[in-house]
Amino acid sequence: MEKEKFMTFEKALEIVRELSYSQGFYGRRLRNMQEMDEEERQEFEEDLAFNKVKTDLDLIFYFEC
């Protein structure tokens, strides 16, 4: 059985970086993500998997809902 693939921290960071150019919220989110240590990044990825975040839209819903 193939393991489901959820969004990685690096992919989420890339999306937030793109969104940060037009939204202040994402600029702050980007800064916070860039300051995370390795343990915080791992916890973030685990939370993305727990919430089944796979796409850009999933990530936006994750942050805004």
Side-chain angles (χ1 to χ4, degrees):
M1 177 177 238
E2 187 177 325
K3 184 179 175 182
E4 278 192 86
K5 300 212 186 266
F6 297 104
M7 188 170 291
T8 65
F9 176 83
E10 291 303 320
K11 180 63 178 172
L13 186 63
E14 178 184 318
I15 294 166
V16 170
R17 184 175 290 117
E18 290 175 25
L19 292 169
S20 72
Y21 299 120
S22 64
Q23 297 265 344
F25 170 81
Y26 287 100
R28 292 186 296 278
R29 175 62 60 190
L30 176 63
R31 185 179 61 246
N32 292 339
M33 290 175 73
Q34 290 172 327
E35 293 174 354
M36 288 181 178
D37 61 27
E38 190 58 39
E39 183 178 330
E40 292 170 318
R41 288 177 180 211
Q42 182 63 36
E43 289 173 4
F44 181 77
E45 280 194 350
E46 290 170 4
D47 202 43
L48 292 176
F50 177 79
N51 287 288
K52 299 182 178 9
V53 176
K54 296 179 182 180
T55 68
D56 299 13
L57 191 55
D58 289 342
L59 185 65
I60 291 168
F61 284 140
Y62 170 80
F63 284 135
E64 297 192 12
C65 294

